[in-house]
Amino acid sequence: MSLMRLAYASEATFEAKPVEQGVEPHVARILMTSRRNNGKSDLVGGLYYGDNHFFQYLEGEEEDVRKTYARIQGDSRHRNITTLIEEPLENRTFSNWSMKYVPLSSDVRRFLERHGLERFDPASFTSRQCEEMIELVRNSSQGDKLVNYDSAAMSGAKVQAFSPGLRAGLLVAAACLMGALFYAGSLL
């Protein structure tokens, strides 16, 4: 099998809602779906949403990248989808991320200013600007932890849906519930 990378731009079809917890609600749903689907397919990459436009970068096995892109092209939340980069890849460059999300950041604002761009419209990016945007997403330290997988998960270990702290809390709650049920059963 061969690795490939793909970057695309699209326009959101939804009306942006007020940001909740640092992420627009529609985008948050896209991220959660991407996290689940990409984890199953061992895809990695990053997403940026701004000025009602998406920039997304994917890398992984060619068949999986193409299936994912076909699914995105059929997603009613995207329109005017433009392929920016589509080429073979020798090694992964986003090895820790199933779908890294970069919120509106000063890095992106500086990127736009440096290139004399008034708004974020990745469909108009040059090849060099696409590569810069991929690098910006890759190096961003503001990624949403809800969509980060650790390197153990990407190395073949099963992807965990819950953080270790939440998992521990659920286990404690389950143990308490079992104890309560056992106690109630012994009273009968």
Side-chain angles (χ1 to χ4, degrees), residues 120-183:
F120 186 74
D121 182 9
S124 67
F125 286 0
T126 65
S127 176
R128 186 172 141 252
Q129 289 168 333
C130 286
E131 295 296 342
E132 276 187 58
M133 190 65 196
I134 291 166
E135 194 65 23
L136 189 151
V137 171
R138 181 183 295 118
N139 294 328
S140 171
S141 61
Q142 299 179 15
D144 184 344
K145 291 182 193 301
L146 292 175
V147 294
N148 181 13
Y149 286 147
D150 62 28
S151 52
M154 294 311 297
S155 67
K158 184 174 169 115
V159 173
Q160 300 296 319
F162 302 110
S163 70
L166 181 57
R167 229 177 8 261
L170 289 171
L171 288 172
V172 168
C176 289
L177 180 61
M178 293 301 293
L181 288 173
F182 179 75
Y183 176 75

Side-chain angles (χ1 to χ4, degrees), residues 10-15 26 30 52 54 69-81:
S10 68
E11 191 178 334
T13 59
F14 52 82
E15 284 280 325
H26 291 96
I30 289 170
N52 211 44
F54 290 100
Y69 192 43
R71 191 171 50 249
I72 291 165
Q73 290 171 314
D75 188 325
S76 63
R77 297 170 292 190
H78 297 270
R79 68 174 166 238
N80 301 327
I81 299 172

Side-chain angles (χ1 to χ4, degrees), residues 68-134:
T68 298
Y69 192 43
R71 191 171 50 249
I72 291 165
Q73 290 171 314
D75 188 325
S76 63
R77 297 170 292 190
H78 297 270
R79 68 174 166 238
N80 301 327
I81 299 172
T82 304
T83 304
L84 303 171
I85 295 172
E86 183 177 1
E87 60 190 25
L89 183 69
E90 289 200 23
N91 298 304
R92 293 179 186 267
T93 63
F94 275 77
S95 59
N96 292 354
W97 294 94
S98 69
M99 186 47 54
K100 183 175 186 179
Y101 176 67
V102 179
L104 183 59
S105 68
S106 57
D107 292 342
V108 175
R109 284 199 245 357
R110 281 193 300 274
F111 167 83
L112 296 174
E113 289 171 8
R114 188 169 54 253
H115 293 286
L117 302 170
E118 293 182 21
R119 59 186 302 237
F120 186 74
D121 182 9
S124 67
F125 286 0
T126 65
S127 176
R128 186 172 141 252
Q129 289 168 333
C130 286
E131 295 296 342
E132 276 187 58
M133 190 65 196
I134 291 166

